[in-house]
């Protein structure tokens, strides 16, 4: 590897993994030196580190957690990122509120310490031009690269304990607007302006106009496929897997799912079926579980308690194998999906996989392997060790957001969710399911009905920044405003505020 030490926006020294000095041009920016080194050493990882942290750089550990070439790792000892909390005004993804205690997926990079492979830098250098501000350059590389399949993380293991904290650089509004203009659709600079005006009372017209002079970095096509990926980690050992399936009123659909599982090239050890029927005198209708022979053990549990969160938690408590396949009772999939999921886990060194999940005849828009901002409880593969202290939150039962919450719990335990477009599960969207059970909400008799759903508000309050919540509020406001007549704007605004406050009230009750 190559290690670049820097201070005061200039490189101070460059050394090899053996600590041999390497020549560099001292009058160049840090980004320029990195790009030059990448061309000189295209097969090596390139590390950057603030000079104050030289003695705390975890050189020995790097080879463990930088385990394949399509990674970008960074860490900041500061509480906030270079772009600050206001970046939440333009992005609602889970990548903004970073958990600094674990490996966490984010494109928010820091100049303090980090590592990237030279081959990635060479490719990104064709789109992301050199910048005198090293933090801006790193965040730009990660933001552009993450969409294209570069896996980006905040990695606290880059530093040993008790590392000193350099004075962090912070982007001003001109830099923030420029970044938004170069990395998001144009409408987001307007929304950033409006968010600042409404929620911070800042009239940021000059930063907005300044940003118009910069071109987008999203348009030029890049292909990461030529960069090989083969993790050095051992993620799959026994190749054993259990499947969990909550079901309610879908006897034939479930039978078809079991038939697909019976044809797998790698068979599951256990299929855990949680059958729900809230009718007091009801009994199981799944006679074929015992009348037919299956090439796996079926663990069948019948309950009168309806609810997908409860059912999945019950199933997860009975998982025995190394991996678990979170399935649904109206899915269809190919006979090699488990085998291919294991192959992807080994190749990328990951513990959580989510698949393409399309309805019949639905077009597949996302065709790039990437860090997913969503999680699917009916189409995901998870290593059992990732599930410690992770459950489906029963506060979200019969509402919305339980998948999002579960995915956020995984990320906050250090387990990223990676989407693989060539792993495909067809979701038949059968007409009968858990939501046909009418459940009375706590707020159903409220004179002012909460909006958005208190369960969605609950997820936002639990996992996202205040700026992300406010952005969601403003976007929701404009979406609903379009449906109102001009003469009703005053009444609409008052009603919107009342509904929002009731949503917050019930979310806090949950």
């Amino acid at each position: 590897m190559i290690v670049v030490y820097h201070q005061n926006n200039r490189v101070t020294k460059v050394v090899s993994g053996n600590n041999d000095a390497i020549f560099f041009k001292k009058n160049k920016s840090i980004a320029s030196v990195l790009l030059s080194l990448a061309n000189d050493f295209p097969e090596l990882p390139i590390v950057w580190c603030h000079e104050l942290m030289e003695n705390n750089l975890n050189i020995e550990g790097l080879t463990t957690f930088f385990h394949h070439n399509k990674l970008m790792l960074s860490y900041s000892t500061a509480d906030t990122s270079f772009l600050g909390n206001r970046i939440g005004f333009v992005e609602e993804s889970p990548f903004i509120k970073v958990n600094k205690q674990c490996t966490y997926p984010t494109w928010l990079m820091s100049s303090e310490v980090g590592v990237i492979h030279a081959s990635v830098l060479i490719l990104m250098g064709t789109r992301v031009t050199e910048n005198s501000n090293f933090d801006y350059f790193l965040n730009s590389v990660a933001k552009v690269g993450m969409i294209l399949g570069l896996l980006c993380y905040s990695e606290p293991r880059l530093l040993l304990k008790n590392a000193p904290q350099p004075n962090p650089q912070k982007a001003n509004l001109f830099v923030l607007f420029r970044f938004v203009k170069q990395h998001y659709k144009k409408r987001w600079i307007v929304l950033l302006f409006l968010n600042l005006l409404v929620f911070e009372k800042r009239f940021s017209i000059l930063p907005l106009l300044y940003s118009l002079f910069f071109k987008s970095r999203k348009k030029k096509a890049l292909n990461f496929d030529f960069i090989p990926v083969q993790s050095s980690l051992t993620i799959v050992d026994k190749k054993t897997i259990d499947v969990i399936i909550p079901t309610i009123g879908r006897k034939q659909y479930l039978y078809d799912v079991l038939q697909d599982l019976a044809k797998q090239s790698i068979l599951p050890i256990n299929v855990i079926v949680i059958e729900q029927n809230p009718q007091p005198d009801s009994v199981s209708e799944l006679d074929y579980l015992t009348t037919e022979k299956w090439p796996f053990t079926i663990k069948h549990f019948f309950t009168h308690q309806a609810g997908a969160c409860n059912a999945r938690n019950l199933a997860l408590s009975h998982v025995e194998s190394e991996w678990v396949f979170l399935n649904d009772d109206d899915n269809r999939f190919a006979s090699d999906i488990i085998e291919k999921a294991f192959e992807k886990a080994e190749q990328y060194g990951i513990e959580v996989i989510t698949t393409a999940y399309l309805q019949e005849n639905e077009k597949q828009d996302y065709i790039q392997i990437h860090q997913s901002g969503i999680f699917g409880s009916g189409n995901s593969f998870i290593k059992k060790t990732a599930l410690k202290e992770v459950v489906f939150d029963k506060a979200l039962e019969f509402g919305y957001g339980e998948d999002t919450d579960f995915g956020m719990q995984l990320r906050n335990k250090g387990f990223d969710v990676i989407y693989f477009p060539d792993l495909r599960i067809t979701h038949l969207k059968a007409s009968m399911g858990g939501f046909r059970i009418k459940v009375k909400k706590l707020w159903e008799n409220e004179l002012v009905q909460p909006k958005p759903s208190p369960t969605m508000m609950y997820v936002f309050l639990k996992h996202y920044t205040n700026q992300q919540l406010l952005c969601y509020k403003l976007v929701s406001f404009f979406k609903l405003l379009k449906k109102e007549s001009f003469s009703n704007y005053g009444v609409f605004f008052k009603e919107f505020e009342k509904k929002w406050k009731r949503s917050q009230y019930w979310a806090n009750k949950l």
Side-chain angles (χ1 to χ4, degrees), residues 60-239:
E60 293 182 2
L62 266 169
T63 54
T64 301
F65 45 82
F66 191 75
H67 53 94
H68 67 72
N69 293 351
K70 213 178 287 188
L71 290 170
M72 184 176 185
L73 311 178
S74 172
Y75 188 72
S76 172
T77 56
D79 293 331
T80 58
S81 68
F82 165 69
L83 292 170
N85 292 329
R86 291 188 181 116
I87 193 65
F89 282 139
V90 297
E91 183 165 330
E92 294 177 8
S93 81
F95 309 129
I96 301 302
K97 189 177 180 180
V98 177
N99 184 349
K100 306 297 283 291
Q101 306 305 312
C102 67
T103 304
Y104 192 90
T106 180
W107 54 266
L108 294 171
M109 295 286 112
S110 169
S111 62
E112 289 185 21
V113 63
V115 58
I116 191 171
H117 198 269
S119 59
V120 175
L121 265 181
I122 293 170
L123 179 62
M124 294 303 300
T126 63
R127 180 185 289 190
V128 179
T129 56
E130 300 169 18
N131 194 287
S132 58
N133 188 314
F134 189 40
D135 280 281
Y136 192 100
F137 172 79
L138 293 172
N139 280 271
S140 186
V141 167
K143 181 60 179 172
V144 173
M146 196 183 212
I147 300 170
L148 302 170
L150 182 64
L151 306 186
C152 305
Y153 298 93
S154 167
E155 180 51 84
R157 293 177 294 176
L158 283 165
L159 292 173
L160 302 174
K161 292 182 179 180
N162 302 317
Q165 182 177 322
N167 292 326
Q169 289 195 33
K170 298 298 178 184
N172 58 33
L173 286 179
F174 286 88
V175 174
L176 179 61
F177 270 88
R178 173 188 172 182
F179 190 90
V180 173
K181 173 61 170 59
Q182 289 191 300
H183 300 88
Y184 296 82
K185 292 181 179 179
K186 290 180 180 178
R187 64 173 178 263
W188 284 106
I189 58 170
V190 178
L191 279 166
L192 175 59
F193 174 82
L194 291 173
N195 272 299
L196 290 169
L197 182 63
V198 172
F199 300 117
E200 294 190 9
K201 304 298 184 286
R202 289 178 178 269
F203 187 70
S204 308
I205 190 65
L206 290 179
L208 187 150
L209 294 174
Y210 168 78
S211 70
L212 298 178
F213 291 95
F214 297 93
K215 294 182 179 179
S216 171
R217 292 181 172 178
K218 292 168 60 69
K219 295 180 180 179
K220 188 175 180 181
L222 292 178
N223 187 352
F224 271 79
D225 292 343
F226 80 92
I227 299 175
V229 176
Q230 186 53 62
S231 174
S232 59
L233 301 179
T234 301
I235 292 295
V236 181
D237 181 21
K238 300 175 182 177
K239 285 193 177 181

Side-chain angles (χ1 to χ4, degrees), residues 451 475-489 492 499:
K451 196 172 186 67
V475 172
S476 299
F477 175 82
F478 283 124
K479 284 181 178 179
L480 295 171
L481 186 66
K482 290 193 297 185
K483 302 175 183 178
E484 299 291 327
S485 63
F486 179 77
S487 60
N488 198 44
Y489 277 8
F492 168 77
K499 292 177 180 179

